[in-house]
């Protein structure tokens, strides 16, 4: 099968499409013929070596932790799923023609494969961030970097909980944020004054998705570092804020909930662009620029 790998840390030039043997489903796993795999900042951050301080990588290494597809092999101890079922979830080395999933749910017929392949990371991360930041119905949340995949999920899951959301993004993305239910504003100098005008009673919590060095400013806006959280800035805890990271908590429940919200018209994921497997390096370049609205997808088949 074809798979995307890298054999050493570096830039996009180390990304290669190679021919390797297909994996086989072990206990508690299913193998899928991949239809779509989500592109995430973790792909290029891992490739760059940004995670080497806390993660061991054995080369050659693959890319991708989420995918959708059709089950073609079921491991021992697995029940409730059969060959031919359409599923999506978390796995390993999912940017390949075949991949193993360790957490999955059935894909509803009205959920496109491309959308399903991009859901797991964003809904898991957004759910965890909202739980950890400590914000509840009737309160106001500020989301820094609200138009990307995780930001889009945070906005929508928060709105479904009755939380008011102010989201930062470049001006051309403000209509998109309004469609998701957020009140948009621009990032950069003067953010505190703009937020104060939009929320005169104050902001109860803030989530940083972009990792653009705004933690001190978010703390000043919220007034309490314990209600400021980042999913992208490793330095957040040095300021007294929170840094949210895995492992996933009850992912099947989260995936099923997101799929149901999508079916009910209460959750959407914009796919900015889908690429073939051979253009994976290009997707990482685009992702690293930080201007994606919604999600980039690797589409197979």
């Amino acid at each position: 099968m074809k798979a995307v790998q890298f054999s050493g840390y570096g830039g996009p030039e180390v990304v290669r499409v190679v021919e390797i043997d297909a994996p086989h489903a072990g206990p508690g796993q299913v193998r899928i013929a991949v239809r779509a795999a989500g592109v995430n900042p973790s792909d290029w951050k891992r490739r760059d070596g940004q995670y080497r301080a806390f993660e061991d990588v054995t080369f050659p290494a693959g890319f991708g932790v989420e995918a959708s597809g059709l089950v073609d092999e079921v491991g021992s101890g697995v029940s409730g799923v059969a060959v031919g079922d359409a599923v999506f979830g978390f796995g390993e080395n999912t940017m390949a023609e075949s991949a193993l999933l360790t957490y999955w749910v059935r894909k509803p017929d009205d959920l496109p494969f491309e959308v399903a392949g991009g859901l797991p990371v964003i809904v898991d991360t957004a759910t965890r961030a909202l739980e950890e930041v400590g914000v509840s119905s009737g309160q106001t949340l500020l989301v820094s970097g609200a138009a990307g995949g995780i930001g889009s999920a945070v906005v929508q899951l928060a709105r479904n909980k009755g939380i008011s959301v102010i989201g930062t993004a470049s001006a051309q993305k403000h209509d998109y944020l309004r469609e998701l239910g957020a009140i948009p504003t621009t990032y950069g100098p003067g953010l505190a004054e703009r937020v104060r005008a939009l929320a005169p009673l104050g902001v109860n919590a803030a989530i940083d998705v972009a990792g653009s060095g705004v933690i001190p400013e978010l703390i000043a806006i919220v007034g309490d570092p314990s209600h400021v959280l980042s999913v992208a800035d490793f330095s957040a805890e040095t300021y007294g804020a929170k840094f949210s990271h895995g492992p996933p908590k009850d992912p099947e429940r989260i995936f099923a909930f997101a799929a149901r919200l999508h079916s009910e018209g209460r959750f959407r994921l914009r796919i900015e662009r889908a690429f073939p497997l051979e253009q994976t390096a290009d997707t990482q370049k685009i992702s690293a620029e930080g201007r994606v609205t919604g999600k980039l997808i690797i589409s197979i088949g």
Side-chain angles (χ1 to χ4, degrees), residues 115-126:
V115 174
L119 280 180
V121 166
I122 66 169
V123 297
D124 176 72
T125 304

Side-chain angles (χ1 to χ4, degrees), residues 55-82:
E55 179 184 79
D56 293 327
V57 175
T58 300
F59 295 114
F63 291 102
V65 296
E66 60 181 352
S68 64
L70 298 174
V71 174
D72 63 10
E73 189 175 88
V74 178
S76 63
V78 174
S79 60
V81 66

